[in-house]
Each structure stands twice: as structure tokens, then as C-alpha cells.
Amino acid sequence: MVLVLGGMWIGQNINLLPIDASVNAPIYDELFQVLFTIGTILFIGIIGLLVFSLVRFRRRPGQLGDGIAIEGNLPLEIFWTAVPAVVVLFVGLYSYDIYDRMGGMVPLAHDHSAGMAEQRIWGGISSGTVESGIVDALPIDVTAMQFAFLFHYPDGDITAGELHVPAGRPVTLRLEAKDVIHAFWVPEFRLKQDVIPGQPTQLSFTPTRPGRYPIVCAELCGPYHGGMRSTVVVDEPEAWDTWFSGNAKPDPTSETASTNT
Ligand code: CUA
């Protein structure tokens, strides 16, 4: 009882994660708390038993014989098979539920209606996620290459080396790699998505907390993989509007219209 209650207290009260900056983050943190609780109970239980056994069953002076020969213990074996089976099954089902609540089971949609050719999306998290239904998601194309991320906003024809997003508005990234497999990871958003050459993936999220957070490449992609980092800047909506209008190419619609004729 002490072990379970202590493990639960530690799991609930010790937070090893960075600040949460997206709608997905608190959902993920629930799972992490549960996993951390289970891990703490197992760790303390096993190490405790080990230390206890080392002391309690140590060789005493004058003890020279072999230990008792024990062969098999059916109830014990059933017990230590059943407990991990139940725990692993529970963690599997619960992880599925968390991924579902993050929008991972929503059919992948082509959010880039702005002139984007029909192209298969191979995986990721679709918009129409956490808050039900697609709402005015901001489309951004992400290109990963050795060793940088490039961000392109089809709406304003902006290309940037940093990702600027407004707080409170859903964003849909369409990710594709130029050369090898990379992974787009923002720890503060609790989101990570592989970026694959020739197989576009998608990642939808809603940032919640203004600030600057690291974007990390999380797939070994070459000698400078460790240096493949960028920054996501979550702005207040007004500040983002200013940034966007300050960088957008003037009147992109008339430009496409003239090239079409
Ligand atoms: Cu790109 Cu590691």
C-alpha cells in the first residue's frame, strides 16, 4: 500500500516535462503521469526488494553449504506473468486513447486547399482534431533537409527559417523532406512527426502559450543532425498578424491570376 500510494504521489507531483504550450500537451502529460507512476512503483518495488534480499539473505559467517534447491513455483509464475500482461495491455489501450484524443485517428485531410496539387498524405495528425471539426487551420509547408528546416506560408508566400504561429489558432503543417528522413519535434508541444522524402506527412496542433520554443530534429539524419534545430515563435494573435502582414508578398492572388492567363 505504501509503495503504491508513494508511487502515485511521486507520479502526480514530480513533473519532469518542460512547459506545456499546445492543446495536445496536457493530454500527453496525463499519459506521462500514469507511465511515470507505474515506472516509479516498479523501480522502487524492485530495487527495494533487491536491497532487502541482499541484506536479509546475505551469507553469514560459517555458512559454507549450498542454498536450498528450489525448482519452479506455479502460483508465482502465474502472478508475475499476469501482472505485466495486465499493465502492458492497459498502457497500450490508454496510449491509443490518448493518440485518439490528440486527433491521431481522424482521417488525414488535405488542408492545403490553396493551390496545392492533390497529393497523398502518408501519416500524422490531421486538423479537425482536439476541438472537433476543421476550423480555419493555418497551413504551413515544412521542408526538412540536411541540416535545416524551412517554413513556407502558402497564404502570404512567406519563406522563413523560424516558425511563427499565432496562439489559439489551429495550425496544420505539411511536412516533406528533400533528402533523408528527419523528424520535427517540439518538446513544449509534446509533438513529434517524421519528415520523409517523397511521402508528405501532416501535423496539426493549436499553440496555447506565447513564447519561443526549440524545434529539434529527432531522427539521426547525418553528421550535423545534432545541429539541426530551429525555433517556433508563438505570438499573441495581434503580434502574429503584424509579423504576417509585414512579410507577406503583396497581393499574391492577382499575381497567380496573371500567370494563369
Ligand atoms: Cu534532420 Cu536529424
Side-chain angles (χ1 to χ4, degrees), residues 144-147 149 180-183 217-222 225-226 228:
M145 67 197 81
Q146 290 168 319
F147 296 92
F149 290 105
V180 298
I181 300 176
H182 304 269
C217 177
E219 191 74 67
L220 183 60
C221 55
H225 155 72
M228 186 168 166

Side-chain angles (χ1 to χ4, degrees), residues 136 138 158 164-167 169 234-248:
D136 191 26
L138 171 70
I158 303 171
H164 283 256
V165 289
R169 178 170 169 196
V234 180
D235 285 323
E236 296 288 357
E238 309 79 47
W240 184 83
D241 284 340
T242 313
W243 174 86
F244 187 81
S245 45
N247 288 279

Side-chain angles (χ1 to χ4, degrees), residues 172-230:
T172 297
L173 306 181
R174 178 190 174 281
L175 309 106
E176 199 170 5
K178 283 270 183 246
D179 34 42
V180 298
I181 300 176
H182 304 269
F184 177 93
W185 179 35
V186 180
E188 281 75 3
F189 290 173
R190 313 284 194 271
L191 289 172
K192 188 192 281 175
Q193 175 60 51
D194 274 6
V195 193
I196 308 167
Q199 299 185 355
T201 51
Q202 199 175 56
L203 187 62
S204 300
F205 57 89
T206 306
T208 49
R209 197 189 292 273
R212 298 173 63 87
Y213 310 109
I215 298 172
V216 183
C217 177
E219 191 74 67
L220 183 60
C221 55
Y224 298 104
H225 155 72
M228 186 168 166
R229 285 168 157 259
S230 182

